[in-house]
């Protein structure tokens, strides 16, 4: 009997210490500034979206590992005026919170604040609410306190707002129904001395108010720091072991994962603590082109003590954790989009789209060129989806029969308005030319071209994480490679911006003709496959 009991005890102990695995990032591709919220058994994450419309993607999970896109919070133009926003502007760092049956999302629209949508009314911060995270969400409730990266904290019927005007984490109480400031804004903390103290979140645990912020800028020196106080208004004392998380360190400097910061803590349904945060993955040296992605790490938080992220060790792409194993994540996805139904929430436009430029007809997506090119950045005709894997293939067949010389349409690898690679059909007077055109800062160059005898062609962009390859097939199946381009040329380090690569379909007009013509490009499908 003793031997049996001992065997059972050993078996239980082994089960309890069995390590489960998950892969980082948990939400890959351009998904920065994550904010997480748990309601019962459900978890939700929102991300920044900058110049793209609709804005603020929202994801759902029941196990913290597998995440499904369920919509975009800001899906009406009245909620999100974007004007001529670039990937330096638009929607910054949303925070998602839940209180008494209502979801609250607070966010900054840089350059588009206030009811006028031009930033002339002061603060760029606003709030929207919903009873269902899938929407609909309310019209904007504009807020008085400035700064970026606003957050909310609810306690005892009171709603507090924190943001970072003048590089200082600042607190005020607001009316969550009207947005009116109820108390004077009060400075709380300026961090540990790193530049750009931002991304504040307040939590309460064991009688302490904890203030989590980001410092160092959202680049190599990015880091998370934390302070605490017995009173929400402070004074706050810094964690003597700060930073809470950074890879800009001796331990983290060799990691592919860099720029760790801007996080949000959540307590899981099993009482364990976790943190989601942004970071980026380098490819081909110190370059990242996929954007800042959403990562996750376990947190130890003993009663009355400071939290510790991942045991104080750097975070990895493959994590071993002492939790019950979740459903394995899918490593390779294949999404085939046909144009016989409305586009899903993964599809985005640059700024607020001109609805007259997009039409679904006969099972095709018809794009009408407008006067603005991708580079000119005034609501260009473009629709795309995030590149979410370093190795992928995207394919479409485009018919550009109805076109004028100088018009161009096709696929684009888009990072920012002055950083993109266009794989496009362009008619001349006697033929159709297929070109690969690189736009990079002040450089615009045709890298390769071929003349076709047809106005219809299948275009394919693929990547092996180091290069983009541009393939074409006139017959739809016999592909030839026209050009290859180093992925680093589309990296943040080279062309800038706060986003990541989006693979899209586009059409642009030859400006010399003036006005809108009857030209259009028809796209049969869009196939996206991760390798």
């Amino acid at each position: 009997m003793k031997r049996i009991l001992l065997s059972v005890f050993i078996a239980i102990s082994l089960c309890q210490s069995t390590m489960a695995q998950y892969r980082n990032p948990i939400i890959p591709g351009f998904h920065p500034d994550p904010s997480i919220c748990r309601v019962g058994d459900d978890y939700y994450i929102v991300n920044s979206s900058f110049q793209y419309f609709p804005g603020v993607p929202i994801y759902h999970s029941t196990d913290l590992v597998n995440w499904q896109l369920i919509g975009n919070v800001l899906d009406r133009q009245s909620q999100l005026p974007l004007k001529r926003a670039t990937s330096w502007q638009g929607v910054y760092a949303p925070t998602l919170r839940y209180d008494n049956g209502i979801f609250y999302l607070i966010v900054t629209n840089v350059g588009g604040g206030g009811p006028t949508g031009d930033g002339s009314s002061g603060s760029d911060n606003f709030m929207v609410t919903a009873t269902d995270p899938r929407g609909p969400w309310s019209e904007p409730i504009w807020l008085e306190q400035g700064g970026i990266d606003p957050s909310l904290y609810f306690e005892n019927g009171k709603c507090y707002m924190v943001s970072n005007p003048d590089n200082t984490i600042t607190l005020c109480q607001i009316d969550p129904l009207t947005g009116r400031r109820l108390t004077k804004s009060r400075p709380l903390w300026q961090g540990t001395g790193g530049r750009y103290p931002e991304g504040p979140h307040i939590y309460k645990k064991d009688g302490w108010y904890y203030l989590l912020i980001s410092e160092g800028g959202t680049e190599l020196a990015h880091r998370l720091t934390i302070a605490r106080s017995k009173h929400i208004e402070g004074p706050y004392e810094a964690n003597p072991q700060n930073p809470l998380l950074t890879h800009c360190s001796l331990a983290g400097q060799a990691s592919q994962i860099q720029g760790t910061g801007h996080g949000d803590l959540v307590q899981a349904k099993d009482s364990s603590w976790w943190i989601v945060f942004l970071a980026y993955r380098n490819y081909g040296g110190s370059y990242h082109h996929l954007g800042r992605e959403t990562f996750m790490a376990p947190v130890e938080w003993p009663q009355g003590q400071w939290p510790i992220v991942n045991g104080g060790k750097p975070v990895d792409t493959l994590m071993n954790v002492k939790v019950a194993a979740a459903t394995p994540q899918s490593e390779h996805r294949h999404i085939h989009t046909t144009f016989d139904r409305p586009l899903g929430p993964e599809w985005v436009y640059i700024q607020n789209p001109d609805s007259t430029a997009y039409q679904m007809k006969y099972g095709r997506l018809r794009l009408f060129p407008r006067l603005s090119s991708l580079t000119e950045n005034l609501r260009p005709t473009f629709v795309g989806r995030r590149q979410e894997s370093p190795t992928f293939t995207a394919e479409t067949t485009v018919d550009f029969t109805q076109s004028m010389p100088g018009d161009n349409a096709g696929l684009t690898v888009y990072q920012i308005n002055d950083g993109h690679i266009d794989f496009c059909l362009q008619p001349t007077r006697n033929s159709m030319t297929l070109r690969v055109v690189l736009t990079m800062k002040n450089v615009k160059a045709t890298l390769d071209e071929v003349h076709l005898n047809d106005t219809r062609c299948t275009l394919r962009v693929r990547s092996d994480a180091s290069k983009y390859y541009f393939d074409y097939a006139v017959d739809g199946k016999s592909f030839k490679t026209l050009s290859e381009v180093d992925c680093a040329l589309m990296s943040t380090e080279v062309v800038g911006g706060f986003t990541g690569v989006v693979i899209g379909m586009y059409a642009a007009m030859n400006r010399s003709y003036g006005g809108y013509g009857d030209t259009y490009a028809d796209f049969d499908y869009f196939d996206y496959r991760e390798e």
Side-chain angles (χ1 to χ4, degrees):
M1 176 61 75
K2 290 183 179 179
R3 186 172 296 175
I4 294 174
L5 290 173
L6 180 60
S7 298
V8 170
F9 176 79
I10 292 173
I12 292 174
S13 298
L14 289 173
C15 288
Q16 289 176 337
S17 62
T18 298
M19 304 298 284
Q21 290 184 338
Y22 70 89
R23 294 187 179 275
N24 268 322
I26 55 171
I27 305 179
F30 156 49
H31 291 100
D33 306 321
S35 176
I36 189 167
C37 174
R38 179 173 74 91
V39 181
D41 293 339
D42 298 291
Y43 303 90
Y44 302 95
I45 281 179
V46 292
N47 298 100
S48 298
S49 50
F50 292 89
Q51 82 273 35
Y52 290 104
F53 182 90
V56 187
I58 181 166
Y59 285 82
H60 171 256
S61 176
T62 57
D63 60 16
L64 285 172
V65 170
N66 296 279
W67 294 88
Q68 179 187 9
L69 180 64
I70 60 172
N72 293 276
V73 173
L74 306 176
D75 60 4
R76 302 190 299 278
Q77 297 199 27
S78 59
Q79 297 170 309
L80 186 57
L82 288 167
K83 300 291 184 180
R84 298 194 64 150
T86 71
S87 66
W88 300 105
Q89 299 172 309
V91 172
Y92 278 34
T95 295
L96 182 67
R97 293 294 184 258
Y98 177 83
D99 182 67
N100 197 29
I102 299 176
F103 289 88
Y104 294 83
L105 183 123
I106 185 171
V107 70
T108 310
N109 182 6
V110 174
T116 60
D118 60 5
S120 62
S121 58
S123 174
D124 294 334
N125 295 319
F126 68 93
M127 182 168 59
V128 291
T129 63
T131 55
D132 185 338
R134 291 166 175 80
W137 290 77
S138 72
E139 289 298 300
I141 301 166
W142 292 97
L143 304 165
E144 298 173 62
Q145 182 168 288
I148 61 170
D149 304 357
S151 183
L152 297 173
Y153 175 75
F154 292 89
E155 184 179 40
N156 298 327
K158 295 180 179 180
C159 178
Y160 297 91
M161 172 186 172
V162 282
S163 59
N164 76 333
D166 302 318
N167 283 318
T168 302
I169 307 304
T170 302
L171 173 85
C172 68
Q173 185 184 338
I174 66 171
D175 182 338
L177 297 178
T178 67
R180 186 169 63 91
R181 181 164 41 187
L182 302 179
T183 63
K184 184 179 178 181
S185 295
R186 180 186 181 92
L188 299 185
W189 193 40
Q190 290 186 309
T192 62
R195 67 174 186 162
Y196 305 137
E198 57 194 18
H201 295 301
I202 290 178
Y203 316 89
K204 191 175 186 181
K205 184 177 183 295
D206 307 327
W208 290 93
Y209 292 93
Y210 288 85
L211 177 57
L212 176 71
I213 73 167
S214 301
E215 299 183 49
T218 186
E219 301 132 5
L220 189 65
H222 210 28
R223 57 187 180 267
L224 284 166
T225 58
I226 196 166
R228 70 181 183 181
S229 172
K230 283 291 186 178
H231 306 282
I232 193 167
E233 294 182 343
Y236 282 82
E237 59 173 314
N239 179 1
Q241 300 301 316
N242 275 328
L244 188 66
L245 173 65
T246 188
H247 277 201
C248 189
S249 62
L250 184 63
Q253 65 180 347
S255 175
Q256 181 194 25
I257 301 169
Q258 292 297 327
T260 54
H262 202 110
D264 198 4
L265 291 156
V266 67
Q267 187 172 27
K269 51 194 174 186
D270 65 358
S271 297
S272 61
W273 283 89
W274 298 83
I275 191 166
V276 295
F277 59 95
L278 70 78
Y280 56 81
R281 290 178 288 172
N282 283 331
Y283 292 94
S286 298
Y287 299 97
H288 74 280
H289 61 290
L290 297 186
R292 297 166 298 160
E293 307 171 288
T294 294
F295 290 72
M296 183 176 73
V299 176
E300 300 170 19
W301 203 343
Q303 184 172 355
Q305 299 182 39
W306 296 100
I308 301 171
V309 174
N310 199 40
K313 299 176 295 183
V315 177
D316 206 345
T317 52
L318 183 62
M319 299 290 291
N320 294 295
V321 293
K322 293 181 180 179
V323 295
T327 304
Q329 295 158 292
S330 175
E331 293 186 41
H332 307 291
R333 292 184 301 163
H334 181 200
I335 302 169
H336 186 79
T337 302
T338 56
F339 302 122
D340 52 2
R341 67 193 69 182
L343 295 177
E346 71 274 18
W347 291 92
V348 293
Y349 304 87
I350 297 171
Q351 303 159 353
N352 304 111
D354 176 354
S355 61
T356 66
Y358 306 86
Q359 186 181 97
M360 287 190 185
K361 197 166 187 177
Y362 310 122
R364 294 178 172 183
L365 176 63
R366 180 165 291 179
L367 299 185
F368 294 87
R370 293 299 183 243
L371 291 177
S372 176
S373 67
L374 294 173
T375 303
E376 290 165 316
N377 197 47
L378 183 61
R379 298 202 300 172
T381 301
F382 164 97
V383 61
R385 56 157 298 139
R386 293 162 174 84
Q387 181 187 339
E388 295 175 321
S389 172
T391 54
F392 80 100
T393 299
E395 179 186 304
T396 189
T397 296
V398 58
D399 189 328
F400 208 19
T401 303
Q402 194 70 19
S403 58
M404 298 288 287
D407 293 349
N408 59 99
L411 291 175
T412 180
V413 177
Y414 183 92
Q415 175 70 259
I416 190 173
N417 66 298
D418 53 5
H420 49 94
I421 311 167
D422 305 331
F423 191 24
C424 57
L425 290 170
Q426 184 170 352
T428 60
R429 294 190 180 278
N430 301 313
S431 67
M432 182 67 73
T433 302
L434 178 63
R435 290 190 168 101
V436 176
V437 181
L438 171 67
T439 298
M440 189 175 66
K441 296 294 186 181
N442 296 320
V443 174
K444 184 170 184 177
T446 298
L447 302 182
D448 291 285
E449 65 178 36
V450 62
H451 296 285
L452 307 176
N453 294 320
D454 203 336
T455 58
R456 179 179 172 85
C457 189
T458 298
L459 308 180
R460 186 173 71 185
V461 177
R462 54 190 171 90
S463 179
D464 59 6
S466 63
K467 291 184 177 181
Y468 289 109
Y469 300 89
F470 298 87
D471 309 328
Y472 72 99
V474 176
D475 62 1
K477 54 185 177 181
S478 304
F479 283 94
K480 299 177 182 178
T481 299
L482 180 59
S483 188
E484 57 186 61
V485 181
D486 198 315
C487 292
L489 294 183
M490 289 297 104
S491 68
T492 297
E493 289 76 14
V494 174
V495 295
F498 283 149
T499 58
V501 167
V502 175
I503 308 297
M505 299 166 285
Y506 85 98
M509 179 180 290
N510 182 349
R511 294 181 65 93
S512 64
Y513 283 92
Y516 293 170
D518 295 325
T519 65
Y520 56 80
D522 281 336
F523 295 81
D524 289 1
Y525 60 89
F526 188 92
D527 194 82
Y528 176 85
R529 184 192 301 268
E530 295 177 352
E531 308 298 335

